[in-house]
Each structure stands twice: as C-alpha cells, then as structure tokens.
C-alpha cells in the first residue's frame, strides 16, 4: 500500500497549482512567525524603554529630593533657623524610598545595580554625616560648604547613572527604529511576493483549469472509446464467428459464446452449472500440452495459437485451433479464441484424396503415353531386336561351319559362341528396357546416373532416328553426381523429347537434321539435361502453351506428352522449359536436384573439373 500512496503524493506534487498554493501557505506561515517575533520584539523593546524611563524618572525624583534636602540643611546651617527643619525626616525617608526603588529597577543590570547599591550606601552615610553636622555645628559657612561637597558626590553618582541609562535608552530606541524599518521592508517584500505568487497562482489555476478541462474531455473520449470497444468486443462475442471463452488459469470456463458451446456440444445450462471445464474437455494425450500452455500464459501472458482436440459432450472429438491471453499481468483470468478445424481437416483429407487420385491418373496417363510412344517405335524396336537375333543366327551358322571343318577349328567355334552370348545379352537388355517402359508399376525413386539413363533411351530410339535421317550427338559431362528419380518416369521424359525432336525434323531437308543431347551442372548445383534440334523451331507466341494439357502442334497429337513430362519433372523437384535454338530449331531443357546422400555431397565438395565427351552417331 505504501507504493501507491507515494506515487499518488508525487503525482499531486507534480501539479503546478498545488506547488503555488503550498508556496503561499509557506509564505503565510513564515509571515505569521515573523509577525509573532516582531510582536515579541516590540513588546520587549517597549518594556525595556519603559523600564529605562522609569529608572530615569526615579533618578530625577531622587535628585530632586536630594536637592530639596540640601536646600533645607544648607539654609539651617547658614542661619540656624529652625524653620528650615520643619520637614526634617520627610526628605530623608523619601531619599531612602527612592534609593530602594532604584535598586529594584536596576536589579537586572549588574553595573547599574552596583552603582545603585553604592549610591544608597553613599546617601545613607552622607545623611548621617549631615545629621551630625546639624546637631553639633553652629552657624558656619564651612559646615554648609562641607555638606554641599557631600551632596555634589551624590549628584555625580546620580548623573553617572542617568548618563548610562540614557545611553541604554538611546540604544534601545535606535534598535527599535531599525527593527521597525526592517519589518517595514519585510512587509513590503512579503506583499510583493504575495502579489507575485497570487498572480502566478492565478495563472497556474487557469492552466490547471484548462488541463483539467482537457483531461476531462480526454477521459470522456476515452470512456467513449472504451464503450465503443466494449460494444465491438461484445458484438464479436455475440457474432459467433469463432468460439470465444473467458477462463481461469485453473481451467474453469466462466463465460463462452454460442459458437464455442456448439463446438464442444454443451448448452448454456452446463456452462452456468460449472460442468464445462478445460480438464474435462481435454483428452489425456493433450494434457501435457495444456500444462505447457498454462506455464506460457503465466510467464509471458499470451499463448500462441496451436492445434489440439476437444472431447465433446457426446464423447466424440473435434479438432480445434486455440490461442489465448491474460487480462492482466499476474492475474488468473483471460480470454481464449477457439476455431473449429473440422471443415479444414475434412478439406485437407479431400485434398489428399484428390492428390492421390491425381497421381494415380498421372501414372495412368504416363503409362498410356509410354505405351503409345512404344507403339510408334514398334518398327524401330523390332529392328533393334532383329539385329542381335540376326547376329546370333549368323554366328551360329559360322560356328557350325567351323565345327564341320576337318579338323574342326575349336578356337573359332569358342569365339563364335562368345559373340552369340553377347548378342543374346544385348537382345535381352533391349527387351528388358522395353518391358520396364511398358510395365505398369508404382513410382519408385532411386539414386541413378543421368548419363546412363540418356544412353539407354538413345539406344531404343537409334533406329527411329536413323530411319528419319537424324544425326544424334551427345555431350555428356563426366563426374556428374547421382540424382534421385524414378528411372522409368525419367526415361519416359527423355524418350518423349527425343521422339518429338525426330518427328519435328522429319520435314527438314536432308543434311540438316541434327539432335544434340547434353548434360551438365545448373546454377543451383543440380543436374541439367538439354535437347537441341535443328527443326523448324517454335512459335514464340505459343511457347508458354506447349506444356498445357491438350495443346498440340501435331495433326494427330493429343497434347498430353509435354504436359506429362513437365508434371513428372516438377514431381521430382525440378523445372522444365523450352526455347529457341540458334540459328534455328528448338531446345528443351529440364533440371533435377541431386540425391541427398553422402556420394552427392562428396562430389559437390570435390569440385572436380567437368570434361565433355562427344560421340557422333
């Protein structure tokens, strides 16, 4: 509680008007203290001045009584006339009384007190001497002169005390006058300061009034904004676009909109009765994640959205996306947003099913395309197969002839049998490649050498290219890292591109039909394959449409070959495009990423120079 009070006091002291009022109050307090001091000083000065005047008056009376006593005693001593002694004793008593009064008045002044005591003793002694003179002496001028001298001593002491007291009185009056002047200046300064502070206070009061007016307007605007925000939040809450809940950290759900209740299958009566609790809604396998979320809320005050499941009232489960935030730092209540992911999950499942069907359709189309292409190459394939078979027959006849010779040439027979074996394996390889291309099998990626795949396809299409007068050349880079691909699908792409190039160059004059197949590295360290022909080329306006489904430039084409080829390359993570081959013809290129294995990484790190191998066909 001490921190808010201290903060409140500092906030009040920060206001200028409060400081001005405090200064005025301090000034008034100082003025009051100075006024009290002035009154006390003035009273003291008046008392001292009055006391000094009483002392002077007493000394004057004492001097007058002594003068009267001197006149009486001198007249008697001069004339011995008893008439001068008619008041004898009265003057003596007056002198003693005044001397005692003087001692009482100067009791606080050590010097004057000693002088008064000495004066009293002197007066007593002198009066005793004068009485003795009066009783014993006759008419004599000498006695009168002796008495006068005694009185002169008393008068000198009285004059000394009078001078001292008058000096003190003058000093007191001077100090009182100086104090009055200082007090006048104090009053004048205080008045000026009060006027200045009053003006400053008035100005600050006007500023404070403006500030308060502005603060009031801002508070009104803020309250209006808060009310508008509350209306918007309530409208969002009641709109039931998404589920919104107000909860405690322990798991009790305090408030929820209808959208949330629909998601979890509860009604508002269940909510009011407290039967809707996070622990009951959360499946056991998600409770550890909930504990992690609670820790995140306590630590940072916000839980980022994450996916989980809720158990509905009927026991079924519903996938949801949930996020939340605390109302205040260190509090135990917050708001959560719940989104039903059932439509999204259903759409994802449908998308996966569509993707699966699409891949199946693509496989079917690719298989049909391969079969169609192989049908087009029937004559060439038959020629390729007939060549090793004819060679086998010829070698067998030659071997028989060598056996019938006298004597049989067994060395020649052994050599002939070797040729027969090689031709048989060659024919088996051709038939195996044909079966692999025609066979309908699920895609299976493997690490493979791109150059080997290119050479195998070239072997299948050699007769077709020879029949159409096309010269096939290769520039295959050595040391290329392996790629991860489906061998059948990749060879189908190369086969389609070679067949399209051969058919495109069929109408070109003799001597200008050339197909260059090259491999190498691309800019991203992948493998790139290029096929450049010397055919009629491509129409620049239709280059982008070449890979669209059902678009074809052939009179009898279906427009699916290049579309299938691009789909296959993109499914392998590569890219395929076409362009013009200078000075004439077309170029088709595609790239493939490297196989993610240690061999590919080692080849990439080695960075050996690539040599090109050229072979004319």
């Amino acid at each position: 509680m001490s921190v808010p009070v201290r903060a409140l006091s500092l906030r009040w002291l920060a206001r200028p008007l409060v400081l001005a009022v405090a200064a005025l109050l301090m000034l008034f307090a100082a003025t009051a203290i100075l006024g009290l001091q002035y009154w006390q000083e003035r009273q003291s000065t008046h008392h001292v001045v009055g006391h000094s005047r009483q002392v002077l008056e007493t000394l004057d009376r004492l001097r007058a009584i002594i003068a009267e006593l001197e006149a009486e005693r001198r007249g008697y001593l001069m004339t011995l006339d008893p008439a001068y002694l008619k008041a004898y004793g009265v003057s003596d008593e007056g002198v003693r009384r005044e001397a005692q009064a003087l001692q009482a008045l100067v009791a606080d002044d050590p010097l004057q007190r000693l002088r008064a005591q000495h004066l009293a003793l002197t007066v007593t002694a002198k009066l005793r001497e004068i009485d003795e003179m009066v009783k014993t002496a006759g008419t004599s001028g000498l006695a009168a002169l002796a008495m006068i001298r005694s009185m002169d001593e008393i008068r000198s002491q009285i004059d000394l005390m009078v001078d001292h007291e008058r000096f003190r009185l003058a000093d007191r009056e001077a100090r009182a006058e100086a104090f009055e002047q200082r007090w006048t200046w104090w009053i004048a300064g205080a008045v000026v300061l009060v006027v200045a502070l009053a003006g400053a206070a008035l100005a600050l009061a006007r500023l404070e009034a403006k500030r308060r007016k502005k603060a009031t307007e801002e508070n009104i605007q803020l309250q209006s904004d808060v009310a508008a925000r509350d209306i918007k939040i309530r409208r969002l809450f009641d709109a039931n676009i998404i589920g919104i809940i107000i909860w405690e950290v322990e798991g009790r759900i305090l408030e929820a909109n209808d959208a949330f209740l629909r998601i979890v299958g509860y009604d508002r009566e269940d909510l009011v009765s407290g039967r809707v609790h996070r622990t009951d809604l959360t499946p056991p396998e998600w409770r550890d994640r909930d504990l992690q979320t609670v820790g995140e809320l306590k630590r940072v005050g916000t839980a980022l959205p994450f996916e989980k499941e809720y158990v509905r009232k009927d026991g079924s489960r519903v996938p949801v996306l949930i996020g939340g935030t605390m109302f205040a730092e260190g509090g135990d209540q917050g708001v959560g947003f719940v989104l039903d992911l059932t439509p999204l999950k259903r759409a994802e499942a449908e998308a996966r099913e569509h993707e699966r069907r699409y891949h199946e359709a693509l496989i079917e189309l690719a298989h049909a395309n391969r079969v169609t292409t192989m049908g087009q190459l029937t004559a060439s394939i038959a020629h390729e197969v007939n060549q090793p078979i004819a060679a086998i027959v010829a070698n067998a006849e030659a071997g028989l002839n060598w056996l019938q010779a006298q004597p049989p040439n067994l060395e020649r027979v052994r050599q002939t049998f070797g040729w027969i074996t090689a031709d048989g394996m060659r024919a088996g390889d051709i038939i195996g490649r044909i079966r692999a291309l025609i066979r309908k099998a699920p895609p299976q990626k493997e690490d493979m050498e791109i150059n080997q795949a290119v050479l195998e396809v070239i072997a299948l299409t050699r007769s077709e290219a020879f029949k159409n007068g096309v010269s096939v050349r290769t520039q295959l880079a050595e040391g290329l890292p392996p790629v991860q691909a489906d061998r059948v699908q990749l060879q189908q792409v190369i086969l389609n591109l070679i067949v399209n190039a051969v058919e495109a160059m069929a109408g070109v004059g003799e001597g200008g039909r050339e197909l260059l197949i090259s491999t190498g590295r691309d800019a991203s360290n992948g493998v790139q394959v290029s096929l450049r022909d010397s055919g009629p080329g491509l129409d620049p306006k239709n280059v982008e449409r070449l890979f669209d489904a059902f678009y074809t430039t052939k009179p009898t084409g279906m427009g699916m070959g290049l579309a299938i080829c691009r789909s296959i390359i993109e499914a392998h993570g590569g890219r395929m495009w076409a362009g013009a081959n200078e000075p004439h013809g077309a170029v088709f290129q595609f790239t493939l990423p490297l196989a993610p294995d240690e061999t590919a990484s080692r080849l990439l790190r080695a960075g050996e120079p690539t040599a090109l191998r050229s072979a004319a066909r």
Side-chain angles (χ1 to χ4, degrees):
M1 294 298 293
S2 61
V3 175
V5 170
R6 185 169 180 265
L8 183 62
S9 62
L10 292 177
R11 182 171 62 86
W12 275 101
L13 288 177
R15 296 186 176 181
L17 182 59
V18 175
L19 292 177
V21 173
L24 283 174
L25 292 177
M26 293 177 63
L27 180 61
F28 288 151
T31 304
I33 293 173
L34 290 176
L36 179 62
Q37 183 180 2
Y38 167 74
W39 182 80
Q40 292 177 349
E41 184 71 20
R42 188 172 182 180
Q43 291 295 326
S44 176
T45 303
H46 287 172
H47 175 72
V48 172
V49 171
H51 180 270
S52 296
R53 288 175 180 175
Q54 287 181 0
V55 172
L56 291 175
E57 290 175 356
T58 302
L59 289 172
D60 289 340
R61 287 196 303 270
L62 183 60
R63 179 184 293 167
I65 293 173
I66 290 175
E68 183 179 357
L69 187 146
E70 179 186 3
E72 292 175 356
R73 300 302 190 269
R74 185 178 54 189
Y76 176 76
L77 292 174
M78 292 295 293
T79 63
L80 297 179
D81 185 359
Y84 288 98
L85 300 178
K86 59 181 179 180
Y88 186 81
V90 176
S91 299
D92 297 346
E93 186 62 26
V95 170
R96 293 185 181 92
R97 184 175 62 253
E98 295 298 333
Q100 292 176 358
L102 179 63
Q103 289 180 0
L105 289 174
V106 298
D108 59 342
D109 188 350
L111 180 60
Q112 289 289 77
R113 185 175 66 248
L114 292 175
R115 288 175 178 176
Q117 292 175 356
H118 184 263
L119 177 63
L121 294 175
T122 302
V123 168
T124 302
K126 294 302 180 182
L127 288 177
R128 190 178 299 112
E129 291 179 2
I130 292 172
D131 289 341
E132 292 295 330
M133 289 181 184
V134 172
K135 292 177 181 180
T136 59
T139 302
S140 173
L142 295 175
L145 292 175
M147 183 192 68
I148 290 172
R149 286 195 296 271
S150 298
M151 291 299 157
D152 289 340
E153 183 179 353
I154 294 173
R155 278 194 297 269
S156 64
Q157 291 184 12
I158 292 175
D159 291 339
L160 184 61
M161 292 184 69
V162 168
D163 293 339
H164 178 77
E165 200 62 35
R166 284 179 178 174
F167 177 77
R168 289 186 62 191
L169 179 61
D171 181 65
R172 291 288 183 180
E173 290 177 347
R175 289 174 60 186
E177 184 179 359
F179 182 77
E180 289 289 343
Q181 291 179 355
R182 288 198 305 272
W183 175 249
T184 302
W185 282 108
W186 272 103
I187 294 297
V191 170
V192 172
L193 185 58
V194 167
V195 172
L197 287 176
L202 180 60
L204 292 174
R206 296 182 64 182
L207 292 176
E208 181 70 11
K210 291 181 180 179
R211 188 192 65 79
R212 290 191 176 185
K213 181 179 179 181
K214 183 178 179 181
T216 303
E217 293 175 352
E218 290 178 352
N219 289 334
I220 294 173
Q221 183 64 35
L222 181 61
Q223 292 176 359
S224 176
D225 294 342
V226 170
R229 189 178 297 112
D230 290 341
I231 292 174
K232 293 178 181 179
I233 294 174
R234 174 55 61 178
R235 185 172 300 172
L236 174 63
F237 190 87
D238 296 336
N240 294 314
I241 299 174
I242 60 174
I244 301 177
I245 57 175
I246 297 175
W247 38 255
E248 290 181 344
V249 175
E250 290 77 10
R252 188 164 67 96
I253 297 177
L254 305 175
E255 184 61 53
N257 62 352
D258 294 337
F260 176 78
L261 295 176
R262 284 197 301 270
I263 292 173
V264 296
Y266 286 86
D267 54 25
R268 194 154 295 277
E269 182 180 353
D270 298 325
L271 179 66
V272 174
S273 61
R275 289 192 294 270
V276 184
H277 199 279
R278 185 184 69 237
T279 305
D280 299 331
L281 295 175
T282 303
E285 63 269 21
W286 285 99
R287 289 178 184 172
D288 291 340
R289 181 62 176 86
D290 267 12
L291 293 177
Q292 180 182 351
T293 303
V294 171
E296 184 180 355
L297 285 170
K298 291 181 179 179
R299 186 174 61 258
V300 300
T302 302
L304 297 178
F306 66 96
E307 294 186 15
K308 63 173 291 185
E309 288 183 334
Y310 274 150
V311 178
R312 295 169 57 88
K313 187 176 182 180
D314 57 5
S316 61
R317 295 194 177 191
V318 55
V320 294
L321 178 70
I322 183 171
T325 183
M326 303 292 290
F327 282 137
E329 184 178 356
D332 61 347
Q333 294 184 2
V335 61
F337 304 91
V338 182
L339 180 64
D340 187 359
L341 297 181
T342 302
L344 178 62
K345 296 298 182 181
R346 187 182 300 117
E348 289 179 352
E350 293 176 355
R352 286 193 296 269
E353 179 64 21
H354 291 325
E355 185 176 359
R356 184 185 65 80
R357 293 179 181 177
Y358 168 75
H359 283 297
E360 290 179 354
L362 182 61
I363 293 172
E364 293 291 341
L365 286 174
H367 179 259
N369 180 262
R370 290 198 300 272
V371 172
T372 302
T373 305
M374 296 305 293
Q376 295 176 1
L377 298 176
T378 301
S380 297
I381 292 173
H383 178 72
E384 287 293 326
V385 175
N386 287 333
Q387 278 188 343
I389 293 175
I392 290 171
V393 173
N395 289 327
E397 292 177 352
L400 291 174
N401 293 331
W402 291 116
L403 286 174
Q404 292 174 1
Q406 295 297 330
N409 193 341
L410 297 180
E411 183 62 30
R412 287 286 188 172
V413 172
R414 187 181 298 107
Q415 185 179 11
T416 303
F417 283 164
W419 290 340
I420 292 172
T421 302
D423 289 334
M425 294 180 63
R426 177 184 170 194
D429 290 341
I430 294 173
I431 294 173
R433 296 191 192 105
I434 295 171
R435 289 182 60 190
L437 285 172
I438 297 177
R439 182 181 58 193
K440 183 179 180 181
Q444 184 177 359
K445 291 185 179 181
E446 59 180 348
D447 292 349
M448 55 175 293
E449 299 290 338
I450 189 67
N451 291 343
Q452 182 182 358
V454 170
L455 293 175
E456 289 177 357
V457 177
I458 290 175
L460 288 178
T461 58
R462 180 169 45 240
S463 298
E464 185 70 14
F466 180 76
K467 182 178 67 175
N468 288 277
V470 176
S471 173
V472 180
R473 293 192 307 112
T474 60
Q475 289 183 346
L476 306 179
E478 295 181 353
L480 289 178
V483 295
Q484 192 175 53
D486 182 90
R487 179 178 295 273
V488 174
Q489 291 184 357
L490 187 57
Q491 287 184 340
Q492 177 181 353
V493 172
I494 301 172
L495 178 64
N496 276 31
L497 295 178
I498 292 175
V499 171
N500 288 344
V502 171
E503 290 179 352
M505 290 185 291
V508 179
E510 296 292 337
R513 304 172 184 176
E514 183 177 297
L515 175 62
L516 174 61
I517 303 175
S518 60
T519 59
R521 294 282 189 90
D522 66 346
S524 60
N525 280 332
V527 174
Q528 179 173 325
V529 180
S530 302
L531 290 89
R532 303 176 183 272
D533 64 56
S534 57
L538 302 173
D539 186 357
K541 298 179 181 179
N542 298 324
V543 170
E544 294 299 326
R545 299 181 58 192
L546 287 175
F547 300 97
D548 294 343
F550 304 110
Y551 176 79
T552 181
T553 57
K554 300 178 184 178
T556 59
M558 293 182 60
M560 293 300 297
L562 290 178
I564 292 173
C565 290
R566 172 175 273 188
S567 298
I568 291 174
I569 295 299
E570 290 178 350
H572 284 76
R575 188 171 64 93
M576 188 174 189
W577 68 97
N581 182 32
E582 299 298 336
H584 55 80
V587 56
F588 286 82
Q589 302 179 81
F590 65 87
T591 60
L592 291 171
L594 301 182
D597 57 4
E598 297 181 359
T599 304
S601 300
R602 187 165 56 251
L603 290 173
L604 284 173
R605 289 194 300 268
E608 296 178 353
T610 302
L612 296 180
R613 180 180 59 189
S614 300
R617 299 282 180 168

